[in-house]
Amino acid sequence: MEEAEESPTPTFAELGITGPILETLKKRDIIGIAPTGSGKTAAFVLPILHHLWDNPHGLFACVLAPTLELAFQISSQFDALGSAMGIRTAVIVGGDEDRVTQAVMLARKPHIIVGTPGRLLDHLKVTKGFSLKNLKFLILDEADRLLDSDFGICIDEILKAIPTERTTYLFSATLTDKVAKLQRANLRNPVKVQVSTKYQTVSSLLQYYLLCPLVKKEVTLVSLLNSMAQNSVIIFVRTKDFCQKLAIILRILGFQSVPLHGEMSQSQRLGALNRFKSEGSNILVATDLASRGLDIPSVDIVINYDTPTHSKDYIHRVGRTARAGRSGKAILMTTQYDIEFLQRLEQVLGHKLESYPVDLEELDFLRERVDEAGRVAANQLREEYMSKGGKDGRKRRKVLASADRDGEDDELPMHTFKKKRR
């Protein structure tokens, strides 16, 4: 019996790999700009695994991310796509993760490190025997955030510790061409792969604004959530303290909600995300910690309870829904103080947001219950913070006292909003 002829190994082009990834495979430095949920992670994971297969040796690639949640998510993609290759990954992040345990992981010579800049820099300084001197690939995911001043010093120090002869990828949904930022990454003759124009949301996302007086903001949110009982919702707020308080208010009112913010421990943050992903809770109340890169396919609706600081932050927030071709809905809650931001945002997006209806009669019916839940939540948090004592406790009591006074501004009639809107 004749042996079957061995099929030739197909090229990446023959496998149907898209143009942007083929460009990456040429080992050029890449600036990748694409909408959230469009597969940017795979666009750098696949080429790195391909090159690692051809040139297997110790530490091969380092991926930097702005949050520990995103770092763990990226690592899981490497593990899943590289499982047949036997790759070793190490997640090096801050929070309550033990440095000694991480040092042991680094001593085992992982092929891929995924980490946050601060903790990785710590290990470069103090962990004996660890270096990045043989690194072949450096990837900055959510690069516009990493190249900002908050991470700038750490990034600069890390760049000094890695070879200049390397391949560098920058990926983001809102990466700009600001020379100062891109110079920080020391790119060499980069190619720009832009799937969409800057600050664009996907066409499958329905976007609305909801006008409401500040004094009725919480009760309006509760009314919204009552109408979305079967949906998975992320609510973005501005501060850690209010994130915690709002999650408690919603639980008191019978909603399955969990908070996610920077003062939670690593285990608490990952636990909250896993509970939300597994549908143990269908409402995630979060700060902008959750706005970058997290892939949670089942999110139906994003509510911007507090307006973001910049329009690009809005793009990242609403990018948590309508991912990978799915549909989704985003609602921007707009008070009398947010009209200017709404108008600027519409200019950036290039179109008007539709008005979202609200049942005014239901607001009057819910008002007393929501106010009482707010008082109970404030007392619960006050007792928790007082038990901590010290300066931090005093600071938090002031914050909560301030939060208790929120909404005491005189209510403006709805016709005032309509005039401003025109």
Side-chain angles (χ1 to χ4, degrees):
M1 183 174 179
E2 291 186 5
E3 292 185 6
E5 291 186 7
E6 185 176 344
S7 300
T9 302
T11 66
F12 270 84
E14 291 170 341
L15 288 173
I17 301 297
T18 60
I21 298 179
L22 289 174
E23 287 289 334
T24 307
L25 288 171
K26 295 178 182 179
K27 296 192 69 173
R28 297 264 314 263
D29 285 359
I30 297 289
I31 300 172
I33 305 173
T36 55
S38 59
K40 291 189 294 296
T41 304
F44 63 76
V45 170
L46 290 174
I48 288 172
L49 294 178
H50 172 75
H51 288 300
L52 180 59
W53 179 262
D54 289 339
N55 183 27
H57 73 299
L59 182 54
F60 190 78
C62 176
V63 184
L64 296 178
T67 67
L68 68 87
E69 290 84 0
L70 183 53
F72 276 101
Q73 179 177 288
I74 294 169
S75 175
S76 70
Q77 292 298 306
F78 274 105
D79 290 338
L81 294 172
S83 58
M85 297 171 54
I87 67 163
R88 298 185 301 275
T89 61
V91 180
I92 306 299
V93 296
D96 57 353
E97 186 72 13
D98 181 57
R99 284 178 169 81
V100 175
T101 302
Q102 291 178 346
V104 172
M105 293 168 59
L106 294 173
R108 292 173 179 167
K109 307 297 183 183
H111 300 110
I112 312 291
I113 290 177
V114 186
T116 50
R119 179 57 63 89
L120 182 64
L121 183 59
D122 283 347
H123 282 286
L124 282 171
K125 291 179 176 179
V126 303
T127 300
K128 188 175 180 180
F130 170 59
S131 77
L132 299 173
K133 64 182 180 180
N134 295 318
L135 196 72
K136 302 299 182 184
F137 285 84
L138 174 68
I139 300 92
L140 273 61
D141 197 17
E142 302 298 339
D144 59 332
R145 179 74 180 90
L146 290 173
L147 294 173
D148 277 339
S149 57
D150 289 349
F151 291 100
I153 296 176
C154 291
I155 294 293
D156 290 343
E157 291 296 315
I158 291 171
L159 287 171
K160 292 176 184 177
I162 62 179
T164 55
E165 294 294 322
R166 66 172 190 274
T167 303
T168 306
Y169 302 157
L170 308 184
F171 283 90
S172 182
T174 56
L175 187 59
T176 68
D177 290 327
K178 290 182 179 178
V179 174
K181 280 190 176 184
L182 298 184
Q183 281 182 341
R184 172 167 273 150
N186 294 334
L187 299 178
R188 297 178 303 154
N189 190 27
V191 59
K192 181 178 179 181
V193 181
Q194 186 165 351
V195 178
S196 66
T197 57
K198 187 173 61 174
Y199 300 140
Q200 185 179 46
T201 54
V202 296
S203 58
S204 57
L205 176 66
L206 301 176
Q207 300 177 75
Y208 303 89
Y209 70 92
L210 194 163
L211 289 174
C212 63
L214 180 62
V215 72
K216 289 186 177 181
K217 201 172 185 182
E218 287 183 12
V219 70
T220 302
L221 174 65
V222 172
S223 177
L224 271 180
L225 295 176
N226 279 339
S227 67
M228 301 170 178
Q230 304 304 316
N231 295 116
S232 175
V233 183
I234 296 181
I235 303 168
F236 281 103
V237 298
R238 188 171 293 118
T239 68
K240 302 168 187 176
D241 287 284
F242 186 69
C243 177
Q244 191 74 24
K245 180 181 177 182
L246 183 59
I248 294 174
I249 289 173
L250 295 179
R251 286 202 296 267
I252 292 171
L253 294 171
F255 296 99
Q256 298 297 315
S257 65
V258 289
L260 180 64
H261 56 77
E263 285 197 0
M264 298 167 65
S265 68
Q266 175 183 311
S267 58
Q268 288 173 328
R269 287 158 65 172
L270 294 178
L273 267 180
N274 289 334
R275 185 176 174 186
F276 183 64
K277 288 182 178 180
S278 65
E279 300 181 359
S281 298
N282 70 318
I283 298 174
L284 181 69
V285 184
T287 61
D288 277 320
L289 182 74
S291 68
R292 293 279 182 154
L294 295 184
D295 185 21
I296 309 173
S298 60
V299 177
D300 302 308
I301 301 166
V302 167
I303 297 176
N304 281 282
Y305 182 89
D306 290 324
T307 57
T309 306
H310 304 290
S311 56
K312 75 173 183 178
D313 296 325
Y314 172 89
I315 302 293
H316 284 284
R317 286 182 178 188
V318 302
R320 297 316 98 210
T321 186
R323 299 177 67 81
R326 301 179 183 89
S327 61
K329 186 183 296 182
I331 301 172
L332 177 67
M333 297 187 69
T334 308
T335 72
Q336 61 266 39
Y337 305 109
D338 306 318
I339 300 298
E340 185 178 347
F341 173 83
L342 172 61
Q343 293 171 338
R344 290 200 312 269
L345 176 64
E346 290 176 332
Q347 289 179 347
V348 169
L349 296 176
H351 62 82
K352 295 285 187 181
L353 273 61
E354 295 183 37
S355 175
Y356 198 86
V358 62
D359 188 341
L360 296 178
E361 291 185 3
E362 185 181 26
L363 298 188
D364 293 334
F365 175 76
L366 293 171
R367 182 71 179 267
E368 186 174 343
R369 291 179 57 203
V370 174
D371 287 348
E372 176 60 24
R375 287 189 287 270
V376 173
N379 287 334
Q380 181 177 327
L381 287 172
R382 188 178 292 107
E383 291 176 2
E384 177 185 339
Y385 294 150
M386 287 180 69
S387 67
K388 295 181 179 180
K391 182 178 179 181
D392 184 62
R394 290 193 297 274
K395 179 181 177 182
R396 292 182 175 281
R397 288 197 293 276
K398 290 181 181 179
V399 170
L400 286 170
S402 175
D404 289 342
R405 293 193 296 271
D406 282 352
E408 291 180 0
D409 306 71
D410 291 336
E411 180 180 339
L412 297 182
M414 291 307 291
H415 64 75
T416 305
F417 293 115
K418 293 176 182 177
K419 289 179 180 178
K420 289 186 177 182
R421 176 69 175 164
R422 297 193 192 101

